[in-house]
Amino acid sequence: QVQLVESGGGLVQAGGSLRLSCAASGRTFSRANMGWFRQAPGKEREFVAAINWSGLSTYYADSVKGRFTISRENAKNTVYLQMNNLKPEDTAVYYCAADRSYYSDLSAADYEYDYWGQGTQVTVSS
């Protein structure tokens, strides 16, 4: 059982930065792969980044590679998404997700994830 709560979203100008946080409750967090997804109005949810249970492996969508960094701090049950050089096309609701199958490969498929947060809005103005 994992509950996830995102925070850190907001309004930022293009080229700016934001750091999203996802606070998790539940005893299994430290052995869960974690992911970030986003969904813009009228569009389907898309993969952003993932990190394995130990934090040693990461995986990024091509659209954010080099700009976003996913990390985790297991002692605080928190996963982060540092977003730099934001672009208007990054505007979306951002969701964190947990995959309890920590032993599996990192996945960009939303159906592989078992738990989801409520989302936090990120708006990037041009």
Side-chain angles (χ1 to χ4, degrees), residues 25 40 45-46 48 53 57 60 63-64 68 75 87-88 100 103-104 106 109 112-113 115-116 119:
S25 62
R45 185 166 53 195
E46 66 174 341
V48 176
W53 68 273
S57 296
Y60 296 93
S63 60
V64 306
F68 291 10
K87 303 176 180 180
R100 62 187 177 184
Y103 47 84
S104 64
L106 296 178
E112 295 284 359
Y113 292 81
Y115 306 98
W116 294 83

Side-chain angles (χ1 to χ4, degrees), residues 10-22:
L11 175 64
V12 65
Q13 292 184 332
S17 298
L18 286 173
R19 188 180 74 164
L20 306 183
S21 298
C22 177

Side-chain angles (χ1 to χ4, degrees), residues 5 7 11 17 19-20 23 32 37-38 42 53 58 62 65 67 75 83-84 89 94 97-98 106-108 115 119 124:
V5 180
S7 63
L11 175 64
S17 298
R19 188 180 74 164
L20 306 183
F37 293 77
R38 66 188 183 187
W53 68 273
T58 58
D62 288 342
K65 199 173 299 181
R67 299 189 297 122
M83 305 185 294
N84 297 328
E89 52 262 44
Y94 283 71
L106 296 178
S107 178
Y115 306 98
V124 184

Side-chain angles (χ1 to χ4, degrees), residues 38-46 88-93 95:
R38 66 188 183 187
Q39 187 169 26
K43 298 183 179 180
E44 295 189 350
R45 185 166 53 195
E46 66 174 341
E89 52 262 44
D90 295 319
T91 295
V93 176
Y95 300 90

Side-chain angles (χ1 to χ4, degrees), residues 26-99:
R27 60 196 300 178
T28 63
F29 173 79
S30 63
R31 291 299 181 100
N33 295 338
M34 301 293 296
W36 285 96
F37 293 77
R38 66 188 183 187
Q39 187 169 26
K43 298 183 179 180
E44 295 189 350
R45 185 166 53 195
E46 66 174 341
F47 170 76
V48 176
I51 188 167
N52 82 328
W53 68 273
S54 68
L56 296 178
S57 296
T58 58
Y59 176 39
Y60 296 93
D62 288 342
S63 60
V64 306
K65 199 173 299 181
R67 299 189 297 122
F68 291 10
T69 302
I70 188 171
S71 62
R72 67 192 299 162
E73 194 169 0
N74 286 348
K76 295 184 177 180
N77 286 356
T78 302
V79 62
Y80 304 96
L81 185 68
Q82 178 67 47
M83 305 185 294
N84 297 328
N85 191 24
L86 284 161
K87 303 176 180 180
E89 52 262 44
D90 295 319
T91 295
V93 176
Y94 283 71
Y95 300 90
C96 65
D99 175 9

